[in-house]
Amino acid sequence: MRTDGSRNRAAILDAAREMVSEPGELHLSAVAKKAGVGQGTLYRHFASRDDLLAALYTDEIDDLVDAAESLVAAHAPDEALRRWFERLAAYARVKVGIIEVVEASVWADMSSTTHDKLGRALTTLLAAGVESGQVRRDVDPRDVILLSWFLAHVGADEWRDRVPRLLDVLLDGLRTRER
């Protein structure tokens, strides 16, 4: 893709990312306007709203997965896991908007690849925690994915108060305990 094409695609995704968490239906014409591109440019990159949302979802997951390695390299395992969960929570706010507008068949296809990607990221984070003695050995990535699904069910009005507390409970449950 040419530089201007890449720049336009990124601008469209940035605009959609910002707009998808706002109330109301996501209109492609509004996304194009916010991105500073014409509708033809938007449709060259994304033939439909579902295509745009699928790309947004995939980019968000890829960013989340890529963060695992850099967080483990830069922080103690327990802090890396905490920071990763904070990113997951921020992502979940966007995901809620995406789930509401993507058709079930599209969501099912994307969901299967998402679990594999998140599983790899969590394997990295959990392995670092187990190696350091900070994370339980009996927890696997699927356990954590299942436990973190609460993020998709927290309402916007309670997000600020409830999510930090729930993340603390989740992280406390992953830590090793002296017996």
Side-chain angles (χ1 to χ4, degrees):
M1 188 178 301
R2 293 182 358 210
T3 304
D4 59 335
S6 295
R7 189 174 37 251
N8 288 340
R9 184 179 192 282
I12 293 165
L13 287 170
D14 288 344
R17 184 176 294 111
E18 191 175 317
M19 295 176 74
V20 78
S21 60
E22 296 172 359
E25 188 175 341
L26 182 70
H27 295 282
L28 293 181
S29 59
V31 172
K33 183 177 180 179
K34 185 167 192 73
V37 302
Q39 286 186 319
T41 298
L42 185 141
Y43 282 107
R44 272 193 300 280
H45 290 279
F46 307 101
S48 69
R49 184 175 64 163
D50 285 350
D51 290 344
L52 172 60
L53 292 170
L56 177 60
Y57 178 80
T58 299
D59 281 1
E60 294 286 329
I61 290 294
D62 290 345
D63 289 347
L64 190 59
V65 170
D66 292 345
E69 293 282 342
S70 61
L71 288 169
V72 166
H75 303 283
D78 60 337
E79 182 63 18
L81 196 55
R82 170 170 288 290
R83 288 175 184 242
W84 191 84
F85 275 121
E86 288 170 353
R87 287 181 184 205
L88 178 65
Y91 157 74
R93 291 188 88 165
V94 172
K95 180 180 168 186
V96 169
I98 293 172
I99 290 172
E100 290 174 359
V101 293
V102 175
E103 294 180 26
S105 61
V106 174
W107 171 247
D109 291 342
M110 290 188 315
S111 183
S112 64
T113 60
T114 298
H115 289 157
D116 291 341
K117 289 178 179 182
L118 290 178
R120 288 192 305 272
L122 283 163
T123 296
T124 298
L125 293 160
L126 293 173
V130 166
E131 185 177 317
S132 73
Q134 296 174 328
V135 173
R136 298 166 50 155
R137 293 181 177 280
D138 63 338
V139 176
D140 66 25
R142 178 135 171 87
D143 293 337
V144 178
I145 289 170
L146 291 170
L147 288 169
S148 65
W149 278 357
F150 73 86
L151 291 167
H153 303 285
V154 177
D157 59 329
E158 60 183 347
W159 190 272
R160 182 166 282 141
D161 294 328
R162 190 168 306 277
V163 169
R165 185 173 58 249
L166 290 172
L167 288 176
D168 284 343
V169 170
L170 176 58
L171 289 165
D172 285 347
L174 294 175
R175 287 189 181 102
T176 57
R177 301 281 188 255
E178 307 240 350
R179 301 207 191 254

